[in-house]
């Protein structure tokens, strides 16, 4: 299968400390991939490298065959773990911002998702709970018609009752010809949506492949396997 995101010997050092160390994996086109690992394993660093927010120390990362940069940002829709929109903005202003900045932003889709989430155009970000901000940012990110979606802990601050809606939103609104890479600790809640998983530890790919083949080989769920591999 064609790789939309390719990492070969990818290494990232912060000072002398490696966040990624010789990470190699090809993320195939048209797949939902779970990026799973404990805190400090390199998940966020990998997503930021793919989004063009960091520069590798060694190895290579390619998005649609290109080094991450101005051109690849047209193809990548990135949801960081932290809120990055000015809290003084209103929802309608964030929609205008995304619409101006991204040619592939779909206004009708954003309006529909925000309406379903009971988020109004005049709502101010500063008045929102952490979970509502995360829902709003996810709706904006998923309203782009991108080729690579990078989601860093998209349901980390969302209450359990809203998780099913968030997962359905992700599945229903991403381009099926695209690749979606999703980092999460809530494996039990979300593993059913994955086509492939990459278990990452110490900045390296510990185990990777299709969910079906991994379950068949190991005879257990991805959640149970994760607990076994990264047992303290």
């Amino acid at each position: 299968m064609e790789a939309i995101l390719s990492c070969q010997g990818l290494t990232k050092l912060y000072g002398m400390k490696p966040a990624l160390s010789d990470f190699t994996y090809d993320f195939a086109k048209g797949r939902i991939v779970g990026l799973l690992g404990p805190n400090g394993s390199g998940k966020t660093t990998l997503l930021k490298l793919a989004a063009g927010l960091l520069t590798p120390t060694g190895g290579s990362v390619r998005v649609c065959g290109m080094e991450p940069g101005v051109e690849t940002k047209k193809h990548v829709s990135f949801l960081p773990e932290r809120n990055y929109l000015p809290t003084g903005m209103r929802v309608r202003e964030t929609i205008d911002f995304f619409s101006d900045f991204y040619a592939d932003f779909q206004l009708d889709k954003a309006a529909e998702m925000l309406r379903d989430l009971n988020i109004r155009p005049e709502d101010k970000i500063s008045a929102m709970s952490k979970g509502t901000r995360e829902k709003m940012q996810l709706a904006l990110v998923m309203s782009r018609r991108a080729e690579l979606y990078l989601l860093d802990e998209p349901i980390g601050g969302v209450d359990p009752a809203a998780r099913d809606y968030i997962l359905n939103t992700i599945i229903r609104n991403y381009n099926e010809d695209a690749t979606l890479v999703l980092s999460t600790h809530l494996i039990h809640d979300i593993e059913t949506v994955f086509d492939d998983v990459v278990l990452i530890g110490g900045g390296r790919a510990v185990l990777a492949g299709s969910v079906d083949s991994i379950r068949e080989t190991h005879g257990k769920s991805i959640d149970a396997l994760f607990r076994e591999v990264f047992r303290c």
Side-chain angles (χ1 to χ4, degrees), residues 150-186:
L150 304 171
L151 309 182
D152 196 359
E153 294 290 345
I155 59 174
V158 177
D159 60 272
R163 284 177 192 161
D164 285 344
Y165 176 80
I166 297 297
L167 295 179
N168 288 333
T169 297
I170 292 171
I171 295 168
R172 190 172 67 247
N173 289 284
Y174 100 104
N175 175 7
E176 291 186 0
D177 292 326
T179 297
L180 191 150
V181 183
L182 192 156
S183 165
T184 185
H185 289 108
L186 302 171

Side-chain angles (χ1 to χ4, degrees), residues 43-155:
K43 301 187 302 298
T44 294
T45 295
L46 175 58
L47 295 180
K48 286 183 176 180
L49 285 164
L53 300 179
L54 295 175
T55 303
T57 306
S60 68
V61 55
R62 295 288 184 273
V63 176
C64 301
M66 299 176 285
E67 284 190 22
V70 175
E71 283 302 311
T72 61
K73 291 182 188 298
K74 300 174 184 177
H75 306 281
V76 177
S77 192
F78 176 50
L79 177 70
E81 184 179 10
R82 299 179 184 275
N83 177 59
Y84 62 94
L85 294 170
T87 55
M89 293 179 77
R90 296 185 185 275
V91 172
R92 58 174 171 76
E93 293 172 324
T94 67
I95 293 173
D96 291 341
F97 175 79
F98 267 70
S99 184
D100 288 343
F101 207 79
Y102 299 110
D104 61 1
F105 186 72
Q106 301 169 92
L107 279 167
D108 55 344
K109 181 177 283 189
E112 178 186 352
M113 281 193 279
L114 292 169
R115 188 165 54 247
D116 288 346
L117 292 166
N118 295 317
I119 298 174
R120 298 168 299 182
E122 294 305 314
D123 289 348
K124 228 179 180 182
I125 296 177
S126 59
M128 294 178 178
S129 66
K130 181 175 184 290
T132 301
R133 290 183 194 181
E134 291 187 359
K135 293 175 190 176
M136 181 197 68
Q137 289 192 162
L138 177 63
L140 294 171
V141 166
M142 296 308 299
S143 292
R144 289 186 57 198
R145 192 165 183 79
E147 293 179 65
L148 176 62
Y149 297 87
L150 304 171
L151 309 182
D152 196 359
E153 294 290 345
I155 59 174

